[in-house]
Amino acid sequence: MESDKIKKIKEECNKLKDEGRLLLKSFAIECEIIKKPEEESKLPSFGLDYQKWYSKSYLVIKQFLPDRLSDFVSLYKLDKRKEIDYSTYTISDALIGITLRNSFGEIKISPKSVISKFEQQITIIDSVLAVLDSNLINIQQLVQADIFDSEIDSAKELLKKGFVRAAGAICGVVLEKHFSTVLDSHSLSISRKDPTINDYNELLKSQDIIDIPTWRHIQLLGDIRNLCDHDKKQEPTKDQVQTLIDGTDKIIKTVF
């Protein structure tokens, strides 16, 4: 039986695919490739709404189809290129309206040149659905995500009732379990028998799995967790533990 978690993910992917198709249609109309049907309701604006679609799609692909993430990103933007031609002209170029002309002043490359690249991005989102349907997705990770959400809810309830240290301790355990799973997914191991949040954090940074701002954020979360678990001379504040709860919830949903 299909879990509620997978159903929700499929719903989100289908929604992204539908939004992408509407954006593609809107963009084709803007580029005068097709005419807008008279009965057509208001379409989204490619220039205004694409970035939101891209950000949401990026996170879904990063989690469930990481092998295609670089393909998805390169269709949007290329960081290293010697020149702009048809093969290197990306969606980010189209968004700022870059147009290239030949020596006769004729348009050679224009925003409509990325129509096929946007279609490819939508196809990658469709591929996520194919992976989910074929049961290739790691069900254990999805089940664990549900458990973590439940534990974070428990931490929130404990904090509300004044059990500040206990709430922080729960978050610490959730972070360590999540980081252990992240290492497994990247075929990495850690030498310490009982690694701390900081141990995981340093390894994730050294392997370029997290960036510097995320590394610093996890450092802060680790410090608050240690205050809850080990430092009996200083009491953690409710605000500190609320920061730990919010940070834990963010990390388990963005670091994979």
Side-chain angles (χ1 to χ4, degrees), residues 148-161 163-172 174-175 217 220-222 224-225 228 237-253:
F148 285 169
D149 284 342
S150 176
E151 290 181 340
I152 288 173
D153 286 340
S154 297
K156 291 177 180 177
E157 191 62 27
L158 284 170
L159 182 63
K160 189 186 298 184
K161 293 180 179 178
F163 298 100
V164 180
R165 284 187 182 273
I170 287 176
C171 290
V174 168
L175 281 173
H217 184 51
L220 172 63
L221 301 182
I224 299 174
R225 187 272 173 91
C228 293
T237 67
K238 283 190 173 182
D239 285 345
Q240 285 175 319
V241 175
Q242 185 63 59
T243 296
L244 177 56
I245 291 172
D246 294 340
T248 300
D249 192 34
K250 179 181 178 180
I251 292 299
I252 66 174
K253 290 176 170 60

Side-chain angles (χ1 to χ4, degrees), residues 17-55:
K17 189 170 69 172
D18 291 342
E19 288 175 355
R21 286 173 174 166
L22 285 175
L23 279 169
L24 180 62
K25 187 172 185 178
S26 174
F27 188 43
I29 291 170
E30 288 176 25
C31 294
E32 298 182 345
I33 294 173
I34 63 173
K35 291 183 178 180
K36 182 177 180 180
E38 292 182 4
E39 71 280 4
E40 182 68 66
S41 58
K42 186 178 179 181
L43 289 168
S45 165
F46 184 76
L48 295 175
D49 298 315
Y50 171 82
Q51 295 284 11
K52 290 182 286 186
W53 180 87
Y54 174 85
S55 297

Side-chain angles (χ1 to χ4, degrees), residues 5-242:
K5 189 76 174 180
I6 292 181
K7 285 180 181 177
K8 286 182 68 175
I9 295 166
K10 284 185 177 180
E11 287 173 3
E12 179 63 20
C13 287
N14 276 311
K15 184 179 177 182
L16 285 170
K17 189 170 69 172
D18 291 342
E19 288 175 355
R21 286 173 174 166
L22 285 175
L23 279 169
L24 180 62
K25 187 172 185 178
S26 174
F27 188 43
I29 291 170
E30 288 176 25
C31 294
E32 298 182 345
I33 294 173
I34 63 173
K35 291 183 178 180
K36 182 177 180 180
E38 292 182 4
E39 71 280 4
E40 182 68 66
S41 58
K42 186 178 179 181
L43 289 168
S45 165
F46 184 76
L48 295 175
D49 298 315
Y50 171 82
Q51 295 284 11
K52 290 182 286 186
W53 180 87
Y54 174 85
S55 297
K56 291 186 290 185
S57 299
Y58 178 96
L59 292 176
V60 169
I61 295 166
K62 182 179 179 180
Q63 182 170 7
F64 300 109
L65 202 59
D67 289 346
R68 299 300 309 278
L69 185 62
S70 61
D71 296 333
F72 186 81
V73 172
S74 65
L75 293 165
Y76 168 65
K77 187 175 183 179
L78 291 172
D79 289 329
K80 296 179 180 179
R81 60 183 176 187
K82 294 181 180 179
E83 60 180 2
I84 300 179
D85 56 26
Y86 186 81
S87 64
T88 62
Y89 187 87
T90 63
I91 294 171
S92 63
D93 296 319
L95 286 169
I96 58 176
I98 291 178
T99 299
L100 301 180
R101 299 175 182 271
N102 61 22
S103 57
F104 300 102
E106 299 167 334
I107 294 176
K108 184 172 67 170
I109 303 173
S110 67
K112 68 180 180 182
S113 303
V114 300
I115 289 284
S116 63
K117 295 188 177 185
F118 187 28
E119 287 175 332
Q120 290 177 58
Q121 286 190 320
I122 297 170
T123 300
I124 293 174
I125 285 292
D126 204 24
S127 298
V128 176
L129 280 165
V131 169
L132 293 169
D133 282 331
S134 65
N135 293 322
L136 293 175
I137 195 68
N138 189 332
I139 303 300
Q140 182 180 356
Q141 287 185 354
L142 296 178
V143 171
Q144 182 170 274
D146 282 335
I147 293 172
F148 285 169
D149 284 342
S150 176
E151 290 181 340
I152 288 173
D153 286 340
S154 297
K156 291 177 180 177
E157 191 62 27
L158 284 170
L159 182 63
K160 189 186 298 184
K161 293 180 179 178
F163 298 100
V164 180
R165 284 187 182 273
I170 287 176
C171 290
V173 172
V174 168
L175 281 173
E176 288 174 353
K177 287 181 180 177
H178 177 68
F179 289 146
S180 178
T181 301
V182 172
L183 294 194
D184 287 342
S185 68
H186 289 273
S187 300
L188 296 171
S189 59
I190 199 163
S191 56
R192 282 191 64 167
K193 183 180 178 182
D194 297 307
T196 64
I197 290 173
N198 187 56
D199 293 327
Y200 285 117
N201 194 30
E202 293 299 324
L203 180 56
L204 293 173
K205 184 186 73 166
S206 69
Q207 296 297 316
D208 292 325
I209 296 171
I210 57 175
D211 56 20
I212 296 298
T214 303
W215 171 73
R216 287 176 179 154
H217 184 51
I218 294 171
Q219 275 189 320
L220 172 63
L221 301 182
D223 289 343
I224 299 174
R225 187 272 173 91
N226 290 337
L227 189 61
C228 293
D229 274 4
H230 308 303
D231 191 343
K232 303 303 180 183
K233 296 179 181 179
Q234 181 181 351
E235 287 295 320
T237 67
K238 283 190 173 182
D239 285 345
Q240 285 175 319
V241 175
Q242 185 63 59

